[in-house]
Amino acid sequence: MAAVAEDLNDIPAADQRQGFFQTTMGKRVALGGGIALVVAIMAALWMWSQAPDYKVLFSNYSDRDGGAITASLDQMGVKYKFSEGGSAILVPSEQIHDLRLKLAAQGLPKGGNVGFELMENQKLGVSQFLEQVNYQRSLEGELARSIQSLGSVSAARVHLALPKPSVFVRDQQKPTASVLLNLQPGRALDPGQVSAIVHLVASSVPELTVGNVTVVDQTGNLLSDTSNKAAGNKGLDATQLKYVDQVQQNIIKQVESIIAPLVGKENVRAEATAEVDFAQVDTAAEMYKPNSPPEPQAIRSQQTSESTQPGGGASGVPGALSNQPPGVATAPIDGQPAGANVPAAGGPTRKDATTNFEVDKTIRYEQRPMGGIKRLTVGVVVNYRRSVDPKTGKVTVRPLAAAEVAQINELVKQAMGYSQTRGDTLNVTNAPFNGVDKPDDAPLEVDWWRDPANLPLAKEIGKYLLLFAVLAFLYFRILLPLMRPAIKKFDEATAVPPEPEPETEEEIEAEAVIAEEELEEQEVERRNQGYRANLIMAQELARKDPRIVANVVKAWLGSNE
């Protein structure tokens, strides 16, 4: 009975008491799940690195336009997403230009304004009043779209007040317009841009004057204030001030560009002040002056008359002889004029001569356009000459020679368009600049990893290095150890056994003896296992049906008697 108890203690615990993952099937399931998880993580990381770069397709759109745009993108099968706050629609950067053209062909975004497309779907039987309202809405929408095309304007609304036409002059009213602008954040309109908007609206509506257009921004500021013009303010406006500044900057640029090759770009400074005449003058002059004696006088007209008054009575012999024509004239003797010392046939003679001469007159019409330069004042400062000893690095400075200063003075006069008649002034000064005697500082060398130009490339390289490090860690530290047992079993199953080397007779006999001994040991073991199996079966039978065991024992005892 003691031997039977020892055999029972040697039996291992049942496999059912072990956990699922401690069994062979559980280990295989855990191995497969771990490998799948690691592969999924690696695939997700790779897809994240290859994700498209999203850029803004449209921003600051209305809700109606946003719904229409997203619906069109869904029909085209384009992936999109919204920015934080939903103020912009983002699409892959490589498709942004193509999508904008396709959406523009569909009339998107409309901007919340209805244009002349409202007139395309007119129904039959529409009243004249409704047609007029639709036309006004279309005109307001088209004007708003035109104003929104400006870079500083994000949205615009236009309201038109178009009065009904009247046949009576005293009842006629002029149309008016008001424009509400929503400007981009941080942007503003200068007076020139506001004037352009006013003229755009005024020239788009018949009989609408510039003074009847009002422009207001989103904060309620009146941009089209014409009170100064109505009051007759003669001050310079923004356009004129900008023109003066451009004239001065052009003169400064011309002066510095012509002097820089002589003294260096950093060694010359110039400033200019221009007095510009913005008055538009039309002159008509008519001048008279007497003819000078050497010049011949021009005769306009000349008139001569001669009359002879009759004497005390009739003279001569009456008859035919008195009616005959005068005789042939004879030449004068000794230079005496004809008719001299000749007694008059009748009474006294009177001669009148009238001569009209041309008067010297000059008529001149002169029209001077606005923007002419009345006077220029230019100041130029030139730095001292600077030289550096290449051996010692010592810096020496010296003033320019008088001839050089005179040469610079003449060059500046030519560059600025100097006019003594106009009263222009020029002052060229040669003086040392601050720090001219200091040695040159060596240029700071910036490390390549600190150079801002290399920052985008460094970010891209860092992204792929991080991805490679994570994938390498997952593969070598998690995936490969999990797959090593399976790989080992696969290698063992597919390995080709090496060919045995030829053995000697002694080795063959020794192997035969060993094989016989192993067979004997296996036979003994088999017999022991049969005995143990029979013993275990007898014990189980005794527990389940003791009567059978008792009868067997009685039979053994009876046979022994």
Side-chain angles (χ1 to χ4, degrees):
M1 298 297 293
V4 174
E6 292 178 359
D7 293 336
L8 291 175
N9 293 330
D10 293 338
I11 299 175
D15 292 341
Q16 289 80 3
R17 297 178 183 177
Q18 299 177 358
F20 174 75
F21 290 104
Q22 298 296 329
T23 61
T24 303
M25 181 61 70
K27 291 180 179 180
R28 291 179 179 177
V29 172
L31 177 61
I35 294 174
L37 178 62
V38 174
V39 171
I41 294 174
M42 296 174 67
L45 291 174
W46 177 256
M47 293 177 64
W48 169 78
S49 65
Q50 300 297 323
D53 183 21
Y54 283 84
K55 290 187 177 181
V56 177
L57 178 63
F58 293 111
S59 62
N60 298 325
Y61 47 83
S62 62
D63 294 340
R64 181 179 300 177
D65 287 342
I69 291 172
T70 54
S72 180
L73 293 178
D74 291 335
Q75 292 178 358
M76 290 185 288
V78 178
K79 295 182 179 179
Y80 63 89
K81 62 181 181 179
F82 297 95
S83 63
E84 295 182 2
S87 60
I89 299 178
L90 308 178
V91 296
S93 58
E94 63 274 5
Q95 302 179 4
I96 185 170
H97 301 291
D98 185 32
L99 291 176
R100 284 180 178 174
L101 294 176
K102 291 182 179 179
L103 293 174
Q106 301 177 9
L108 296 175
K110 297 181 179 179
N113 297 318
V114 180
F116 280 113
E117 66 270 9
L118 184 63
M119 309 295 294
E120 296 176 356
N121 299 322
Q122 290 289 338
K123 298 180 180 179
L124 294 177
V126 178
S127 63
Q128 184 178 3
F129 173 76
L130 187 56
E131 288 182 351
Q132 182 66 25
V133 171
N134 290 338
Y135 171 74
Q136 183 171 341
R137 288 181 56 195
S138 303
L139 185 58
E140 291 174 351
E142 293 294 336
L143 288 174
R145 289 179 182 176
S146 301
I147 296 173
Q148 286 177 7
S149 61
L150 299 178
S152 301
V153 180
S154 62
R157 294 192 65 183
V158 179
H159 302 279
L160 298 177
L162 304 178
K164 294 182 180 180
S166 176
V167 295
F168 300 101
V169 177
R170 62 182 179 181
D171 293 338
Q172 290 181 357
Q173 297 180 0
K174 297 293 183 181
T176 58
S178 58
V179 181
L180 177 62
L181 302 179
N182 189 3
L183 303 180
Q184 298 284 358
R187 303 292 292 274
L189 295 178
D190 57 25
Q193 292 174 319
V194 176
S195 178
I197 294 175
V198 170
H199 283 79
L200 173 66
V201 176
S203 53
S204 301
V205 180
E207 299 183 1
L208 178 60
T209 60
V210 175
N212 290 338
V213 179
T214 304
V215 181
V216 183
D217 63 3
Q218 73 271 20
T219 58
N221 297 323
L222 181 61
L223 303 180
S224 59
D225 187 7
T226 58
S227 59
N228 292 335
K229 296 181 181 179
N233 186 11
K234 300 303 181 180
L236 299 181
D237 58 11
T239 305
Q240 294 173 345
L241 293 175
K242 185 177 180 181
Y243 175 75
V244 174
D245 183 69
Q246 290 179 351
V247 170
Q248 295 176 166
Q249 294 300 325
N250 289 337
I251 293 174
I252 293 173
K253 183 178 179 181
Q254 293 173 358
V255 170
E256 291 183 349
S257 62
I258 198 170
I259 303 302
L262 301 178
V263 298
K265 185 177 181 180
E266 300 297 330
N267 296 323
V268 59
R269 296 291 185 272
E271 290 295 335
T273 302
E275 295 181 9
V276 182
D277 185 10
F278 290 100
Q280 186 173 1
V281 180
D282 296 335
T283 304
E286 185 174 355
M287 296 177 292
Y288 298 88
K289 64 179 181 178
N291 293 326
S292 56
E295 296 179 359
Q297 295 180 350
I299 299 176
R300 175 187 294 179
S301 63
Q302 187 176 13
Q303 182 179 4
T304 304
S305 62
E306 182 178 356
S307 62
T308 303
Q309 297 180 356
S315 62
V317 180
L321 295 177
S322 300
N323 295 331
Q324 291 180 358
V328 180
T330 59
I333 300 174
D334 297 333
Q336 294 182 356
N341 298 324
V342 178
T349 302
R350 180 180 178 182
K351 295 182 179 180
D352 295 329
T354 303
T355 303
N356 296 322
F357 296 95
E358 289 287 354
V359 179
D360 191 0
K361 180 177 67 173
T362 302
I363 300 176
R364 183 178 63 183
Y365 296 95
E366 180 181 3
Q367 184 177 8
R368 290 185 298 169
M370 53 187 294
I373 297 177
K374 296 171 60 178
R375 186 170 179 267
L376 287 178
T377 303
V378 178
V380 181
V381 179
V382 182
N383 194 11
Y384 276 12
R385 291 287 186 185
R386 183 175 182 271
S387 59
V388 182
D389 190 352
K391 296 181 179 180
T392 61
K394 184 179 179 180
V395 178
T396 57
V397 294
R398 60 179 179 82
L400 298 179
E404 293 177 328
V405 175
Q407 182 184 13
I408 293 174
N409 190 63
E410 293 297 327
L411 290 175
V412 173
K413 285 184 177 181
Q414 297 296 327
M416 64 177 284
Y418 180 84
S419 175
Q420 187 176 3
T421 305
R422 196 169 51 193
D424 296 346
T425 58
L426 171 63
N427 186 8
V428 178
T429 303
N430 182 215
F433 287 5
N434 186 18
V436 67
D437 55 345
K438 294 182 179 179
D440 295 333
D441 296 333
L444 297 177
E445 295 183 359
V446 181
D447 297 329
W448 64 270
W449 63 84
R450 295 180 180 178
D451 190 359
N454 298 329
L455 185 59
L457 180 61
K459 288 183 178 180
E460 194 70 16
I461 294 175
K463 174 183 175 181
Y464 286 102
L465 288 178
L466 178 61
L467 176 64
F468 177 77
V470 173
L471 293 178
F473 175 79
L474 293 175
Y475 178 78
F476 290 105
R477 300 301 299 271
I478 299 178
L479 183 61
L480 191 60
L482 291 175
M483 297 179 61
R484 188 171 288 127
I487 295 174
K488 184 177 181 181
K489 291 183 179 180
F490 179 79
D491 293 339
E492 291 177 355
T494 57
V496 179
E499 296 181 358
E501 297 180 358
E503 300 178 352
T504 60
E505 295 181 357
E506 296 179 354
E507 292 177 351
I508 294 174
E509 293 178 356
E511 290 180 356
V513 173
I514 293 174
E516 291 179 357
E517 293 178 354
E518 290 181 353
L519 290 174
E520 291 178 357
E521 291 179 356
Q522 292 177 359
E523 183 66 21
V524 173
E525 183 67 22
R526 185 179 62 78
R527 292 176 180 176
N528 292 336
Q529 290 180 355
Y531 170 75
R532 291 179 180 178
N534 293 333
L535 180 60
I536 292 173
M537 184 178 64
Q539 290 177 353
E540 291 291 333
L541 183 63
R543 283 197 301 269
K544 294 180 179 180
D545 196 353
R547 294 180 181 180
I548 297 177
V549 178
N551 292 333
V552 172
V553 173
K554 287 180 180 180
W556 286 352
L557 293 176
S559 61
N560 291 332
E561 293 177 355

